[in-house]
Amino acid sequence: MTADPTTYDLLKEYAISNRKNMTEAESVFWSLVKNKALGEKCLRQHVVGEYIVDFLFRKSKLVVEIDGGYHQTEEQQGLDAIRTEWLESSGFSVIRFTNEQVLFDSDNVINKIKEVLSK
């Protein structure tokens, strides 16, 4: 159980919608990690607490976030910091990549994730 039962139903609806409407970078990333491609099952748009994380390697407790341009705003960076702090205090590791890293440097993205998963 990784979800807060008081908000799960609403967040689950959003997560399902997000899975159906992935960004280009999320679609590319998903194609690289689905079906245990990195040796571990990866979940997409998964509810953790009061958040929906982009991708979760649940066994390793690794959250992968794919950030679009709006994550560069000061306000969003503050919200992301709060989210990351909560996830880390709950035992998760968080790694972030930009859309551009996923789209144009996917080998390095995957290698970094493999490195983290191997620890």
Side-chain angles (χ1 to χ4, degrees):
M1 292 285 292
T2 57
D4 180 340
T6 61
T7 57
Y8 179 75
D9 289 337
L10 179 60
L11 291 174
K12 180 70 173 174
E13 287 180 40
Y14 289 137
I16 291 168
S17 176
N18 290 348
R19 282 185 214 126
K20 292 177 182 176
N21 299 295
M22 288 192 295
T23 66
E24 181 182 7
E26 289 170 339
S27 293
V28 167
F29 184 82
W30 180 240
S31 73
L32 297 170
V33 300
K34 67 183 178 181
N35 299 322
K36 295 186 179 180
L38 301 183
E40 184 176 328
K41 184 175 182 175
C42 182
L43 304 171
R44 61 189 168 129
Q45 300 299 324
H46 190 75
V47 179
V48 178
E50 294 182 7
Y51 299 104
I52 300 171
V53 299
D54 289 340
F55 298 93
L56 173 65
F57 292 88
R58 187 167 35 199
K59 181 180 171 191
S60 297
K61 296 188 86 171
L62 174 64
V63 170
V64 177
E65 295 287 345
I66 311 296
D67 293 343
Y70 75 94
H71 286 271
Q72 299 305 313
T73 67
E74 188 174 326
E75 179 182 1
Q76 189 59 47
Q77 286 180 352
L79 294 171
D80 288 346
I82 292 167
R83 172 189 177 103
T84 297
E85 183 178 319
W86 184 89
L87 288 164
E88 289 176 346
S89 72
S90 299
F92 295 89
S93 298
V94 179
I95 188 168
R96 293 183 170 280
F97 299 101
T98 65
N99 285 348
E100 292 75 21
Q101 286 174 296
V102 172
L103 294 172
F104 304 114
D105 196 15
S106 59
D107 287 343
N108 282 328
V109 168
I110 294 303
N111 287 335
K112 179 65 176 173
I113 292 170
K114 285 180 181 178
E115 179 184 313
V116 173
L117 289 175
S118 70
K119 293 181 181 177

